[in-house]
Amino acid sequence: MKTKIVYLFFVLFTLNVSAQTAAENKKVVIRELPVYRDVDVMATYRGGYEVILKQIKDATKNCKRGSFKGKDSTVIIDVLITDKGKVAKVEFVKADVDLCNNEIQKAIEKATQWIPGRIDNKPVNSYLQLTVNLTNNSESGNTLIRRLN
């Protein structure tokens, strides 16, 4: 009986040590990929910017936070598009007002039809700068988006 218990502990100890060794041998490799601002072909949205514009407009239609205070406003947004066409990061570079920034960010992050930028005809990670002009329009609330660059 004692030998069976000793044998069992020995087997369990050996399995534990081999599992730890296997875990140590698996190294996580983190690869940093370059991100470009100057590319041969800029990232675009399938269907054109009018499609992403409509998505932003729909997302901000019912937004009631903030106000324009009677003025037009410009929001400049940096969007990092991966070489796979996914949105990796959304940063607000300039926002005259804090109106619906979360809704605008969520609408851009949900957008899945990005075509990545290209250098030498190869897709690369690149930044795209969007300019959204907001106008104070009393008929449709505070969030009418006039133009998207």
Side-chain angles (χ1 to χ4, degrees):
M1 179 74 169
K2 289 181 183 179
T3 56
K4 289 181 183 178
I5 293 175
V6 170
Y7 179 72
L8 181 66
F9 281 128
F10 177 74
V11 170
L12 291 176
F13 177 76
T14 306
L15 289 176
N16 188 23
V17 169
S18 64
Q20 287 177 355
T21 306
E24 289 172 1
N25 289 338
K26 292 182 183 179
K27 294 182 181 177
V28 176
V29 177
I30 297 175
R31 197 174 66 155
E32 290 189 27
L33 298 174
V35 178
Y36 300 94
R37 286 198 180 268
D38 188 26
V39 293
D40 296 339
V41 179
M42 293 292 293
T44 56
Y45 198 74
R46 287 192 207 295
Y49 290 112
E50 293 78 28
V51 176
I52 190 72
L53 169 69
K54 183 175 181 331
Q55 291 177 4
I56 293 172
K57 187 174 182 179
D58 291 344
T60 60
K61 184 169 42 173
N62 296 323
C63 182
K64 301 208 182 326
R65 273 195 3 228
S67 71
F68 288 110
K69 298 177 184 168
K71 298 180 184 177
D72 292 349
S73 178
T74 301
V75 178
I76 299 175
I77 307 162
D78 270 349
V79 182
L80 176 58
I81 308 294
T82 67
D83 57 345
K84 305 294 184 206
K86 306 280 184 204
V87 175
K89 188 177 182 183
V90 177
E91 289 182 338
F92 287 84
V93 176
K94 177 188 174 202
D96 294 338
V97 294
D98 184 21
L99 179 67
C100 301
N101 286 355
N102 290 336
E103 288 79 3
I104 292 171
Q105 181 174 355
K106 287 177 187 174
I108 293 171
E109 288 173 346
K110 284 183 186 177
T112 59
Q113 299 295 317
W114 290 101
I115 301 169
R118 296 183 160 290
I119 294 179
D120 294 332
N121 209 23
K122 293 180 183 172
V124 295
N125 300 321
S126 64
Y127 276 102
L128 175 69
Q129 194 167 79
L130 299 175
T131 303
V132 179
N133 292 321
L134 303 169
T135 58
N136 192 8
N137 186 348
S138 60
E139 291 136 18
S140 62
N142 284 344
T143 60
L144 175 66
I145 301 172
R146 283 191 294 168
R147 189 179 85 217
L148 180 69
N149 291 336

